[in-house]
Amino acid sequence: MKIHEYQARTILRGRGVPVPRFEVVTDPAEARRVAEEIGGMVVVKAQVHVGGRGKAGGVKLANTPEEAEQHARNILGMDIKGLTVHKVMVAHAVDIEREYYVGIVVDRATKGPVFMVSSEGGVDIESVAAETPEKIFKLPIDPVQGLTVSQAAQLAAHLDDRVEVVGQVAPVVTKLYNAFVASDASLAEINPLVVSPDGKVWAVDAKMNIDDNALFRHPEIAAMRDSADESDELRKAREMGLSFVKLDGNVGCVVNGAGLAMTTMDLIKFYGGEPANFLDIGGSSSPEKVMTAFDIITSDPNVRVILLNIFGGITRCDDVAEGLIEALEARPLSLPLVVRLTGTNETRARQILAEHGMESAQTMDEVVEKAVAMARGQA
Amino acid sequence: MKIHEYQARTILRGRGVPVPRFEVVTDPAEARRVAEEIGGMVVVKAQVHVGGRGKAGGVKLANTPEEAEQHARNILGMDIKGLTVHKVMVAHAVDIEREYYVGIVVDRATKGPVFMVSSEGGVDIESVAAETPEKIFKLPIDPVQGLTVSQAAQLAAHLDDRVEVVGQVAPVVTKLYNAFVASDASLAEINPLVVSPDGKVWAVDAKMNIDDNALFRHPEIAAMRDSADESDELRKAREMGLSFVKLDGNVGCVVNGAGLAMTTMDLIKFYGGEPANFLDIGGSSSPEKVMTAFDIITSDPNVRVILLNIFGGITRCDDVAEGLIEALEARPLSLPLVVRLTGTNETRARQILAEHGMESAQTMDEVVEKAVAMARGQA
Amino acid sequence: MSIYIDERTRVCVQGITGRDGSFHTGAMIEYGTHVVSGVTPGKGGQTRGGVPVFNTVHEAVSETGANATIVFVPAKFAADAAIEAAESGVELVVVITEGVPTLDAMRLYQRTKQLGVRLLGPNCPGLISPGKAKLGIMPGAIHTRGKVGVVSRSGTLTYEVVDSLRRGGIGQSTVIGIGGDPIIGTTFIDTLEAFEKDEGTTAVVLIGEIGGTDEEQAAKFIKEHMSKPVVGFIAGRTAPPGRRMGHAGAIIAGGKGTAEDKIEALSDAGVPVADRPSEIPGLLRATLGR
Amino acid sequence: MSIYIDERTRVCVQGITGRDGSFHTGAMIEYGTHVVSGVTPGKGGQTRGGVPVFNTVHEAVSETGANATIVFVPAKFAADAAIEAAESGVELVVVITEGVPTLDAMRLYQRTKQLGVRLLGPNCPGLISPGKAKLGIMPGAIHTRGKVGVVSRSGTLTYEVVDSLRRGGIGQSTVIGIGGDPIIGTTFIDTLEAFEKDEGTTAVVLIGEIGGTDEEQAAKFIKEHMSKPVVGFIAGRTAPPGRRMGHAGAIIAGGKGTAEDKIEALSDAGVPVADRPSEIPGLLRATLGR
C-alpha cells in the first residue's frame, strides 16, 4: 500500500527524523493559516499517489501566506494523471545547500533489506540507477542482525565528508531503517535529504510503501488508506480479491492465475492485438469473481471483446462452464465473449457450453487469435 | 446398553404401566424393611446383567420379612456367571393366573419396530421362537405413524379373550411402545405380563436394552450404567474405542475392522486353532489402540500367542509398522507376536519390521497357520 | 459401466467443513470425483478447495446441480441432514456417519423410501466406481477398473478382498459397502439387482457376515432373478451367539443370523462360498470361466 | 528418480486441522503421499483421516519420523510455524501459505539457510514427483511420471504447461513451483542444480516471469554448469513497468526484470525460449532429439 508523503513524514517525525514543519489541509484558507504559523517561505504540495507531481504543477513555492492560499486554491481539485487532488501539504521550505538520496528496499537477491544512498539526491533515483549506477552506493543489511552503528556511519560517510553532517546523517539512516522495519515497509526513502546552508540536515520529501501482507499488524497504517485515490474498478477488484491492472488495449481478459494472465496478454500481443487489462481471478474460479471481472472490464469503453481463459485444476472445467452459463443467463454481457476452458474435464465443459450455444476453444492460441480478430472487427 | 430390571421397571412405572411395588437394596436389613413395608409375599431378585438368574439361585420367594432378609443375605455377594451381585430388588409377589409375553425389538427386515406377543409368557421367548414359532404373533409398526389404537387392541386381543383383561392389556402395550420410543430402546419386553386371579394385569418382569448411539439424548439413562457389572477388560476396551468380545481359545487377535476381525477368528478355527477373542481396533489403527489391545489380551491367562492383522488403507502399513516397533520397544510384550500387515505400502512395512528382527506374513492364511502352530507349541 | 455412480455424478458433501468432511473432500476430488458443492449450515459463502459451501442442501442442489450427497455430519444431526438431502431432489444419499441412533435411521429410511431416493448406509464406507468416482472413505488406489461388482457389509474386509482381486488382475465395476448397522438403506438385493442390470458388470462378489437374514434373502433373490455368477464370503463362522461382533448388526440373536444358515442358503442358490478370502479370486475365475 | 521428494518422503502437515490443511491432506494421501503426522497447536491427540495430530513439530518429528513438512498455517503465524519446522530437524519445509509478510519471509529464509534446511515458498503451489509424492495443491491427475523436470514461479501457468506435456506424451520427474513472492527459499538455480544431478531427469522446463533477476541468474548458471538441455518460457512480455502483475514479485521496477532481458539472457545461455506455451513440448522434443 502506498501512503501519502505527509503520512510518511508523520511516521518519520515520530521516530525523531528532522522533518521541516508541515500540515495537511483541504481548503485554501487553511493553507494560508498554516503558512502564517510556519512563517517564511513554504511549499504547497499535492497529496496524491502518483509520481511527477512537480511537472504537473502540483508543487509550488510560496513567499507569503496569500501566495500559499492562491497555490492551494489552484492545486486542490486539480487532476493529476487521472487522480483528483483533495489534500495539499503546506510545509516549511528549507534552504538547500546539498541534496542526497537515502532509501531502503527489499532485495530479492540478498533476501534482505538493502540500503541505497546517493549524493545525487532530489532527482529521480531510477534515472540515476539507469544512467550513472556508480553514483548509487548499495549496502545489504542482515535482517536478523539489523543495521549496525558502523554501517550507519559508513552510509553517512559515503554522502558527506563533513564530520558534523555525518554526525547528523548517521542517526537519520538508523531512524529510517527502524521506521522501515517497524512499519513493515517494502520501500522507505528520503529524497532529498537536504543539508541546509547552516549545516542542518532535513528530510524534505519522504516516501514509504507498506507491505500489504503485513497491514494486519499495523491498524494505524491500514487506516491511512485513501480510498479517494483508488478508482472504482480497483476498489471493486480489491474487495473481490481480484488482481487488476488497467492497460490501453481493446481485448479484455479474465484469467485464473497471475502467470497465466500475463501469458494471455502476451499471446494477445503475439497475435497482433492489444490487451485492455491484466486480470487474475485467483487460482480457483467462482462465478461471482468471473462476473465481477466482467463488470470491471465492461466499464472500459475501449474494450471490444472479452476473453475468458481458465485452467481447471481442483476446480473442474465443467463446473466453471455451468457457473458461467448461469451467471450469463442471470446477467447477460454487453460485449462479445470468447472462452477457453482447459484442464480437468474440459471435454464435458465444451459440451455444456455447446448445449447453450457457446463454444470453448481447444487451445490458448486459438482463443486468442479469435479474440484479436473480433477486436479488429473481422469476426 | 443393558439396564437392570429395577431400572426398566422404574421407566415403565413412570409411563403408567402397572408394576408390582418394589425397591432395590444393597444390604439384607434393608431387604427386611422393604418386605415389611410391602407386606405379604415378596420376591428377592439379584440385579445383574446376565440371564438365567433363577437357575443360579438369584431369585427367591419370601413369605416373611425374615425370609426376605435371609434370601438377600445369600444372594448379595453371590457370583452369577462371573458377575458379583451388589444389589437385590425386593418386590411384591403377585399371584399368577396367566403369564404372557409382550416385547418390541428393532426389525432389520421391515426397518422398523416389531411387536411380538405370546400367550406363552414367563419362559425364555427365544426357545418359544425356535420350537413353537406359531405361538408368537408379530406385528410390524410404522415408525413414523407409531402404534395405532387398533393395533394395540389387536395385540391385546391376541393374548386374552376376556374384555376386561384386553381393556387393561391394550394400554400396557401402548405404554410399552411409548417407553420404547421415548427411551431409544433396541429391545423392551415384559415377561411375564401377569394376569392375577382377581383379573388385574401386572408387569412382573421388565427388560430394556438402550441404543448406545442414542444415549447422548438420555443422560438420565446413561447415568444408569452399572460399571460394577463391566469387567476391567471391557471397560478398558470401551474407553479406548475398541470392540472386544472374550472367547475361550488361546490365539489372541488384534484386527482393524469388525468384518476382518471375524474373518481372522474364522481362519484360526479353519486352521485348527481357537480364537481367544474378537477384537476390532477400528478402521484406522493408532499405536495406542494396538497397545491397549495387547494389554487386554495378555491379561487372559489362556492366551499363548497374539496375532496382529491390519489392513492399511488410508493409514499406511509402514506407519503402522513403525508405531508398532516403537510401542514394543517402550513396553515389550510378554507373549509371542505374529504380524501381518497388508494394503498400502506393505513391502516397506515388511522391510521396517525385518530391520527390527520382526517379520510380517504375506497373507492372512500364512499368519494364521503360524499363530495356530505357535499356540500348539509347534513353532 | 458401473452402478449408482459414475463420471457424471455430481456430488455435494454435507458436513464439508468438518474434520472428516474436509479431509475426504480432498481425497475424493484428487481421485477425480465431481464434487460440485458442500453444505455446512452457517458457513454458506465459504469455499473448500474451490468447492462452494452452502447453508442448505436445497441451495447446493439448485446452485450446482448436485445429484448425489455424501454425509459426514455428526451422528446427532446426520439423519436430519440426510432427510434434508433426500427432500432436495438428489438421487443418492450416502451416509458415512457412524453411530446414528436406530430410531433416526428408521425415520430416515422411511422418508427416502417414500421419496424414491436411494440411501446408502448409515455407517458405511460408501461406494466407488473405479476410475470414475468415489463417494466414500476407501483408499482409491487399491481399486482398479474392471467388470466385477463387489458388495459388502464390512469395511477393511472389503479392502482386503478388493486388494486381492487387484493382485489377481480382476478389476471392479463398482465396489459398494452397505454398512454394518441393523437399519440400512441399500441392501444386498438392491445392489444385486443393479449389478444384474449393469452391462459393465459380469460377476459379483457378495461379502456378508453374521446377523440378520439379509444374506438369506440375497440368496433367494440370486436363485430367482440373477443370471450373472455370484461368489460369496461370510465372516463370523466362529462367532458365539448373543455377542455383538463390533458392528451393531453383527449378532446372532434368537438362533438367527448364523454363518451356517447363510452359507447354506447361498450354496443352495448356486453361489460358491469361499472358506477364506484368498479363495475368492480363484472362485471368481472358475465362475467366469464357465 | 526425482528431486527433493519421492516415495520415501515422510510428510508432516502443519495446520492440518484448518480448512486448507485438512482438504489437501486428504488429496495428498489419496495421491499416495506418505503423510505421517500433522500439527495444530492445542489439537494434539486428535487424528485427521488416521493421521495423528501433535501440538508441536518437534513431537511430530520424533513420534513419526517426518522428514518434510508442508505449511498451511495462516499468514500471521506461517513464518514462525515454518521456523519451528526447520528447527525440528526436517530436511524440507514447503510453505503454501499466501500473504506472508516480507520481513517474516526474510527471517524465515535466514533461519533455514543457517540450519541447512531446504525452504520452498512461501506462497507457492508446492511440488510433485509424479507417481511418488505430492507436497502441494496442484491437481495430481494432470501429472505423469517421466524424465522432464519443470520449475516455475507460477501456478496455473505451470498446470497448463504440465497438461500440454502430458498430452504430448512427455512425463515429469518433478514439477516444482518456487512461488511468486519477492523473498523465496528455493530459487531457479537451486532446482536446476538438483535436476542436473538427478539421474531421473533428462531435460528441464523453466517457466519464468517478469520481476527480479532470478531468470538472468539462472541463465548464467545454465551456461556455466548445466549439461542437460533446458527449455524456457517467460510470462509478462507485455507487462508495463511499475505495475504489479498479481504476484508481489512480478513487477518491472527500476528498469529491471523485463521479459526481454530474461529472454536474451536465456538465449545467450543456449536455452530456447518458447514464444507461446504451446511451443514448449515441440522445443523439448527437438532438444531431446539432439
Side-chain angles (χ1 to χ4, degrees):
Chain A
M1 187 182 89
K2 289 179 176 175
I3 60 175
H4 285 299
E5 177 191 358
Y6 77 89
Q7 293 164 331
R9 273 182 176 235
T10 305
I11 290 173
L12 293 180
R13 185 171 60 185
R15 299 235 149 224
V17 172
V19 173
R21 196 171 160 194
F22 72 94
E23 258 181 67
V24 67
V25 301
T26 53
D27 75 81
E30 279 287 286
R32 179 188 183 131
R33 179 189 58 77
V34 173
E36 273 166 4
E37 282 175 25
I38 291 172
M41 194 184 279
V42 297
V43 60
V44 182
K45 297 170 100 173
Q47 299 295 294
V48 281
H49 288 312
V50 73
R53 289 174 298 173
K55 281 186 190 163
V59 180
K60 295 282 182 191
L61 279 172
N63 289 304
T64 64
E66 291 72 28
E67 246 186 285
E69 181 175 0
Q70 189 51 46
H71 288 321
R73 185 166 291 121
N74 292 341
I75 296 172
L76 284 164
M78 181 184 271
D79 182 287
I80 302 181
K81 296 188 184 171
L83 296 176
T84 305
V85 180
H86 297 288
K87 293 173 189 164
V88 293
M89 183 180 76
V90 180
H92 171 55
V94 177
D95 283 343
I96 296 172
E97 191 198 72
R98 298 197 196 164
E99 292 181 290
Y100 301 135
Y101 172 90
V102 299
I104 314 168
V105 293
V106 169
D107 185 44
R108 302 161 64 110
T110 58
K111 320 228 180 200
V114 65
F115 241 110
M116 298 193 297
V117 299
S118 172
S119 51
E120 303 277 313
V123 295
D124 177 18
I125 194 68
E126 292 192 358
S127 313
V128 179
E131 289 155 26
T132 50
E134 70 282 0
K135 290 198 172 158
I136 298 177
F137 173 67
K138 289 188 180 182
L139 185 65
I141 309 301
D142 179 327
V144 177
Q145 199 177 11
L147 182 76
T148 64
V149 173
S150 70
Q151 283 175 322
Q154 190 187 356
L155 289 165
H158 188 87
L159 293 175
D160 209 298
D161 47 15
R162 292 169 295 181
V163 174
E164 64 279 13
V165 173
V166 169
Q168 287 177 77
V169 172
V172 167
V173 300
T174 304
K175 286 163 183 170
L176 181 64
Y177 183 81
N178 292 344
F180 175 88
V181 172
S183 311
D184 269 295
S186 54
L187 174 140
E189 65 180 27
I190 301 172
N191 187 22
L193 180 71
V194 160
V195 186
S196 59
D198 58 1
K200 274 214 65 181
V201 167
W202 295 100
V204 162
D205 197 346
K207 186 174 171 188
M208 288 178 81
N209 292 348
I210 309 298
D211 180 2
D212 288 321
N213 292 341
L215 283 178
F216 69 87
R217 52 190 174 206
H218 304 290
E220 76 293 352
I221 299 179
M224 290 178 182
R225 183 185 299 279
D226 189 347
S227 55
D229 264 16
E230 194 177 44
S231 68
D232 271 6
E233 287 71 33
L234 278 173
R235 189 186 40 73
K236 259 193 212 171
R238 183 171 51 79
E239 285 171 2
M240 200 25 116
L242 311 177
S243 183
F244 172 70
V245 177
K246 167 106 182 60
L247 302 171
D248 300 324
N250 56 12
V251 180
C253 29
V254 179
V255 187
N256 68 332
L260 197 60
M262 281 190 273
T263 304
T264 306
M265 285 161 46
D266 296 349
L267 248 69
I268 291 170
K269 188 87 175 176
F270 180 90
Y271 282 104
E274 287 292 341
N277 63 281
F278 166 91
L279 200 156
D280 169 17
I281 60 169
S284 70
S285 56
S286 72
E288 287 80 9
K289 287 190 172 187
V290 173
M291 291 315 284
T292 306
F294 287 169
D295 281 354
I296 291 170
I297 290 175
T298 49
S299 73
D300 176 352
N302 294 335
V303 176
R304 301 193 57 183
V305 61
I306 299 181
L307 190 169
L308 178 68
N309 185 19
I310 300 286
F311 189 97
I314 300 257
T315 308
R316 298 161 56 133
C317 288
D318 42 354
D319 295 341
V320 175
E322 288 180 350
L324 175 68
I325 279 163
E326 206 171 304
L328 287 178
E329 280 175 355
R331 203 141 44 103
L333 256 184
S334 56
L335 285 170
L337 173 71
V338 293
V339 178
R340 187 251 184 166
L341 287 170
T342 196
T344 317
N345 271 32
E346 62 177 77
T347 314
R348 173 97 187 102
R350 263 200 293 278
Q351 200 177 319
I352 290 165
L353 290 178
E355 283 164 11
H356 291 80
M358 294 177 65
E359 52 180 350
S360 167
Q362 298 264 357
T363 67
M364 214 189 324
D365 292 89
E366 188 185 322
V367 77
V368 170
E369 262 200 283
K370 192 170 154 191
V372 169
M374 284 171 80
R376 284 197 187 131
Q378 295 172 358
Chain B
M1 188 183 85
K2 288 179 178 176
I3 60 175
H4 286 297
E5 177 191 359
Y6 77 89
Q7 293 165 330
R9 273 182 176 235
T10 306
I11 289 173
L12 293 180
R13 186 171 60 185
R15 299 234 151 227
V17 172
V19 174
R21 198 171 159 194
F22 71 95
E23 257 182 67
V24 68
V25 301
T26 54
D27 75 79
E30 278 287 286
R32 178 188 181 129
R33 179 189 60 73
V34 173
E36 273 166 3
E37 282 176 25
I38 290 173
M41 193 183 280
V42 295
V43 61
V44 181
K45 298 171 100 172
Q47 299 294 295
V48 281
H49 289 313
V50 73
R53 289 173 298 173
K55 281 186 190 165
V59 179
K60 294 283 181 190
L61 278 171
N63 288 306
T64 65
E66 292 72 28
E67 245 186 284
E69 181 176 2
Q70 189 51 46
H71 287 320
R73 185 167 292 122
N74 292 341
I75 295 170
L76 284 164
M78 180 185 271
D79 182 288
I80 302 182
K81 296 187 183 174
L83 296 175
T84 306
V85 180
H86 296 290
K87 293 174 190 163
V88 292
M89 183 180 74
V90 179
H92 172 54
V94 176
D95 282 345
I96 295 173
E97 191 197 74
R98 299 197 196 163
E99 293 181 290
Y100 301 134
Y101 172 91
V102 300
I104 315 168
V105 293
V106 170
D107 184 45
R108 302 161 64 110
T110 58
K111 319 228 181 201
V114 65
F115 241 109
M116 298 193 296
V117 298
S118 172
S119 50
E120 303 278 313
V123 295
D124 177 19
I125 193 68
E126 292 193 357
S127 315
V128 180
E131 289 155 27
T132 50
E134 70 282 2
K135 291 197 173 159
I136 299 177
F137 173 66
K138 289 188 180 181
L139 185 66
I141 309 301
D142 179 326
V144 177
Q145 198 176 12
L147 181 76
T148 63
V149 174
S150 70
Q151 283 175 322
Q154 188 186 358
L155 289 164
H158 189 87
L159 293 175
D160 209 300
D161 48 15
R162 292 170 292 181
V163 174
E164 62 280 12
V165 174
V166 169
Q168 286 177 76
V169 172
V172 168
V173 301
T174 303
K175 287 163 183 170
L176 180 64
Y177 182 81
N178 292 342
F180 175 89
V181 172
S183 310
D184 269 295
S186 55
L187 173 141
E189 64 181 26
I190 301 172
N191 186 22
L193 180 72
V194 159
V195 186
S196 60
D198 58 1
K200 275 212 67 180
V201 167
W202 294 100
V204 161
D205 198 346
K207 186 175 171 186
M208 287 177 81
N209 292 347
I210 309 299
D211 180 2
D212 288 322
N213 291 341
L215 282 178
F216 69 85
R217 51 190 174 206
H218 305 289
E220 77 294 351
I221 298 178
M224 290 179 182
R225 185 185 297 280
D226 189 347
S227 56
D229 264 16
E230 193 178 43
S231 68
D232 272 7
E233 287 71 33
L234 277 173
R235 190 186 38 75
K236 259 192 211 171
R238 183 170 51 79
E239 286 171 1
M240 202 22 117
L242 311 177
S243 182
F244 171 69
V245 176
K246 167 106 180 60
L247 301 170
D248 299 325
N250 56 11
V251 180
C253 28
V254 179
V255 188
N256 68 332
L260 196 60
M262 280 190 273
T263 304
T264 307
M265 286 161 45
D266 295 349
L267 248 68
I268 291 170
K269 188 87 174 177
F270 180 89
Y271 282 104
E274 288 292 341
N277 62 279
F278 165 91
L279 200 156
D280 169 18
I281 60 171
S284 71
S285 57
S286 73
E288 288 80 10
K289 286 190 172 187
V290 172
M291 290 316 284
T292 306
F294 287 169
D295 281 353
I296 291 170
I297 290 174
T298 49
S299 72
D300 176 351
N302 294 336
V303 176
R304 301 192 58 182
V305 61
I306 299 181
L307 190 168
L308 179 68
N309 185 19
I310 300 286
F311 189 98
I314 300 258
T315 309
R316 296 161 59 132
C317 287
D318 42 353
D319 296 342
V320 175
E322 288 180 350
L324 176 68
I325 279 163
E326 206 171 305
L328 288 176
E329 280 175 354
R331 202 141 45 101
L333 256 185
S334 56
L335 285 169
L337 173 70
V338 293
V339 177
R340 186 252 184 165
L341 286 169
T342 195
T344 317
N345 271 33
E346 64 177 76
T347 314
R348 174 100 185 99
R350 263 199 293 279
Q351 201 178 318
I352 291 165
L353 290 178
E355 283 165 12
H356 291 81
M358 295 176 66
E359 52 179 352
S360 167
Q362 298 265 357
T363 67
M364 216 192 319
D365 291 271
E366 189 186 323
V367 78
V368 169
E369 264 200 282
K370 192 170 154 192
V372 169
M374 284 171 80
R376 285 199 186 128
Q378 295 173 355
Chain C
M1 298 275 283
S2 49
I3 67 167
Y4 302 149
I5 59 168
D6 60 22
E7 60 276 18
R8 291 183 306 274
T9 305
R10 302 173 61 79
V11 184
C12 169
V13 180
Q14 293 180 256
I16 191 171
T17 61
R19 53 197 296 176
D20 293 334
S22 179
F23 178 91
H24 286 292
T25 300
M28 288 187 287
I29 288 176
E30 182 72 33
Y31 190 75
T33 310
H34 201 162
V35 179
V36 295
S37 47
V39 171
T40 297
K43 302 209 170 170
Q46 299 188 4
T47 61
R48 275 296 175 289
V51 175
V53 179
F54 297 89
N55 288 319
T56 68
V57 185
H58 280 86
E59 284 175 82
V61 167
S62 68
E63 297 288 321
T64 69
N67 57 8
T69 77
I70 181 164
V71 179
F72 289 100
V73 171
K76 285 186 189 189
F77 314 111
D80 285 334
I83 289 173
E84 185 196 337
E87 291 172 347
S88 73
V90 299
E91 295 151 24
L92 171 67
V93 179
V94 179
V95 182
I96 302 298
T97 312
E98 197 181 331
V100 175
T102 305
L103 290 184
D104 292 6
M106 288 177 185
R107 266 198 305 128
L108 168 59
Y109 174 79
Q110 299 295 340
R111 189 67 182 131
T112 54
K113 190 180 155 196
Q114 192 176 37
L115 294 165
V117 172
R118 173 148 307 286
L119 170 69
L120 183 64
N123 189 20
C124 76
L127 76 170
I128 181 170
S129 293
K132 296 174 183 170
K134 167 176 125 161
L135 270 78
I137 59 172
M138 63 288 288
I142 60 171
H143 298 80
T144 46
R145 223 168 163 134
K147 300 205 155 194
V148 170
V150 178
V151 57
S152 172
R153 281 169 67 184
S154 174
T156 49
L157 175 57
T158 315
Y159 308 166
E160 168 110 22
V161 171
V162 166
D163 200 40
S164 70
L165 291 179
R166 181 180 59 82
R167 285 157 198 252
I170 302 175
Q172 306 92 44
S173 54
T174 297
V175 178
I176 183 163
I178 59 175
D181 274 4
I183 305 293
I184 51 170
T186 295
T187 62
F188 281 129
I189 292 181
D190 297 322
T191 52
L192 289 170
E193 199 172 358
F195 279 133
E196 173 71 14
K197 282 188 196 147
D198 177 46
E199 287 174 19
T201 301
T202 54
V204 179
V205 176
L206 182 150
I207 306 167
E209 64 187 24
I210 54 159
T213 55
D214 287 7
E215 289 81 0
E216 288 85 333
Q217 289 159 23
K220 187 163 177 286
F221 178 86
I222 293 166
K223 200 169 185 174
E224 295 169 4
H225 302 290
M226 280 196 78
S227 64
K228 296 179 184 175
V230 179
V231 168
F233 179 77
I234 303 293
R237 295 170 186 232
T238 51
R243 312 292 293 274
R244 170 180 158 173
M245 299 284 119
H247 292 161
I251 179 166
I252 299 167
K256 286 214 173 152
T258 67
E260 290 69 30
D261 291 349
K262 292 170 191 295
I263 293 167
E264 197 186 317
L266 287 167
S267 302
D268 277 358
V271 175
V273 179
D275 281 335
R276 297 168 291 159
S278 54
E279 295 170 7
I280 295 172
L283 285 178
L284 213 45
R285 290 217 176 276
T287 329
L288 288 167
R290 282 196 300 222
Chain D
M1 299 277 284
S2 49
I3 68 167
Y4 302 148
I5 60 167
D6 59 23
E7 59 276 18
R8 292 183 306 275
T9 306
R10 301 173 61 79
V11 184
C12 169
V13 180
Q14 293 180 256
I16 190 171
T17 59
R19 53 197 295 177
D20 293 333
S22 179
F23 177 90
H24 286 291
T25 300
M28 288 188 287
I29 288 176
E30 181 71 35
Y31 189 74
T33 310
H34 200 162
V35 178
V36 295
S37 47
V39 171
T40 298
K43 300 210 171 169
Q46 299 188 5
T47 61
R48 275 296 176 289
V51 175
V53 179
F54 298 89
N55 287 321
T56 67
V57 185
H58 280 85
E59 283 174 83
V61 167
S62 68
E63 297 288 320
T64 69
N67 57 8
T69 76
I70 180 164
V71 179
F72 289 99
V73 171
K76 284 186 189 188
F77 315 111
D80 285 334
I83 288 172
E84 185 196 338
E87 290 172 348
S88 73
V90 299
E91 295 151 25
L92 171 67
V93 179
V94 179
V95 182
I96 302 298
T97 311
E98 196 181 330
V100 175
T102 305
L103 289 183
D104 292 5
M106 288 178 184
R107 267 197 305 127
L108 168 59
Y109 174 79
Q110 299 295 340
R111 189 69 182 130
T112 54
K113 189 179 157 197
Q114 193 175 37
L115 294 164
V117 172
R118 174 149 308 284
L119 170 69
L120 183 64
N123 188 21
C124 76
L127 75 170
I128 181 169
S129 293
K132 297 173 181 171
K134 167 176 126 161
L135 270 79
I137 59 171
M138 62 288 288
I142 60 170
H143 298 81
T144 46
R145 222 168 163 136
K147 301 203 154 196
V148 170
V150 178
V151 57
S152 172
R153 282 169 67 186
S154 174
T156 48
L157 175 57
T158 316
Y159 308 166
E160 167 111 20
V161 170
V162 166
D163 200 41
S164 70
L165 292 179
R166 181 179 61 80
R167 285 157 200 253
I170 301 174
Q172 306 92 44
S173 54
T174 298
V175 177
I176 184 164
I178 60 176
D181 273 5
I183 306 293
I184 52 171
T186 294
T187 62
F188 281 128
I189 292 181
D190 297 321
T191 52
L192 289 170
E193 199 172 357
F195 279 133
E196 173 72 13
K197 283 187 195 147
D198 177 45
E199 287 173 18
T201 301
T202 54
V204 179
V205 177
L206 183 151
I207 306 166
E209 65 187 24
I210 54 159
T213 55
D214 287 7
E215 289 81 0
E216 287 85 335
Q217 289 159 24
K220 187 162 177 286
F221 177 86
I222 293 166
K223 198 169 186 174
E224 294 170 4
H225 303 289
M226 280 197 77
S227 64
K228 296 178 183 175
V230 180
V231 167
F233 180 78
I234 303 293
R237 294 171 186 232
T238 51
R243 311 292 291 275
R244 171 180 157 175
M245 299 285 120
H247 292 161
I251 179 165
I252 299 167
K256 285 214 174 154
T258 67
E260 289 69 30
D261 291 349
K262 293 170 192 295
I263 293 167
E264 196 185 318
L266 287 168
S267 301
D268 276 356
V271 174
V273 180
D275 281 334
R276 296 168 289 159
S278 54
E279 296 171 8
I280 294 172
L283 285 178
L284 213 45
R285 291 219 175 274
T287 329
L288 287 168
R290 282 198 298 224

